[in-house]
Amino acid sequence: MLNLTTTPATSQAVTWRTVIPVTHPQAQIAPASGLSDFDKNARSVAAETETVALDDGRMVAHHAVVFDALTPDTVYAYRVGAIGAWSEWNQFTTASSKPAPFAFVTLGDPQEEVRSKCSRVFRAAFQHAPDADFWHFVGDLVDNGDRDTEWAELFDAFGWIPRTTPMIFLPGNHAYPNRRRVKPDAFRIFDLWRPHFTLPENGPAGLEETVYFLDYQGVRMVMLNGNEKLAEQALWLDRILSRNPQPWTIAAIHQPVYNTGKWRNRSTLQDLFVPLFDKYSVDLVLQGHDHTYGRTYKLKNGTRVGPDESGTVYVISVSGPKSYPVGPQHAALMEKSGTGRQLFQVIRVSRRRLAYEAFDAAGKPYDAFVLEK
């Protein structure tokens, strides 16, 4: 599993798992070429390993490496394992060190029937945008974040895609226990979240690898955690957006700011984050959780603004088969809404243009819009 780092032009994270401990786990990396001996000068990097207890009582080993000192905009080949027990060689491309056009895929909650029904969405997304520089998920990757068998379904559904396409994630509510069924001091993210991924740790204390930001070729990508410590995140968000040199800003949070799901309306997020999104002209907010589709008009202070005015577009989407009815609570703010479809989105960004397209699992266009600077 490749994950982006805070310096995607010069580093790359990779995580893997073994069912038994390994002596001297490591990864090897070399600049890729068409020559068969591309690996003759491969560099080895020792892995950090942690032992993880699964819900069935088994113990497994998770290994992680961050390749550093890489050259921007360069294809690298890598493999993971140990002497005598290697994976195949895979390839990835580092980001450019300066603003440059790129594309990424973003997906809402897979959550249920992941192997059975989400595999086709992932494959359709890869076929439609094979040039995507990374994939992004807005949470609820599985239904029960403490069950290893459900994570196995997700990784099986991905196939080899995360070995070549880096991914970034944020946690949904299903990465946590049900708040109503545990004591407050037991409400924390399930133990499998952090071992599975190697995500940035530049968020507020205690929220490492669940709240973070990174800059990618002219875009500041900000991941928020809608499950805990919201006030602390608002203070952090104010700070990191006040020092943002990127022309574009995209934020993401699992729970929607303006809900489309029937019976839902979480005004806390509006109170905390909308003033900051407005203050710093956040361009786009990506969300999940409601198991519907919803795209707002460009908004400021919860009110529709003109197409040439500064404002934020809020999008809710879902990649899995679970659907809810669309509620009327924010219908006046929505330019497009619907339910019952499995969707993926492709976002293409250049210095002055952000083009967004949503497609269903059959590859048919569902929604589109363009933002211009």
Side-chain angles (χ1 to χ4, degrees), residues 2 119 122-127 135 157-167:
L2 293 173
S119 299
F122 301 156
R123 293 165 190 172
F126 189 86
Q127 288 177 317
W135 281 19
F158 281 153
W160 51 263
I161 295 171
R163 303 182 196 179
T164 61
T165 303
M167 297 194 173

Side-chain angles (χ1 to χ4, degrees), residues 12-76:
Q12 180 69 64
V14 59
T15 310
W16 71 101
R17 187 167 101 174
T18 56
V19 296
I20 59 174
V22 176
T23 301
H24 304 308
Q26 58 188 284
Q28 292 186 328
I29 188 167
S33 77
L35 300 175
S36 58
D37 64 349
F38 68 90
D39 57 339
K40 64 181 178 181
N41 295 315
R43 169 167 62 103
S44 294
V45 183
E48 294 186 4
T49 297
E50 65 176 308
T51 302
V52 178
L54 304 182
D55 54 303
D56 62 3
R58 289 183 297 136
M59 304 296 290
V60 295
H62 283 250
H63 314 282
V65 159
V66 176
F67 297 118
D68 59 9
L70 305 180
T71 302
D73 197 17
T74 299
V75 181
Y76 283 91

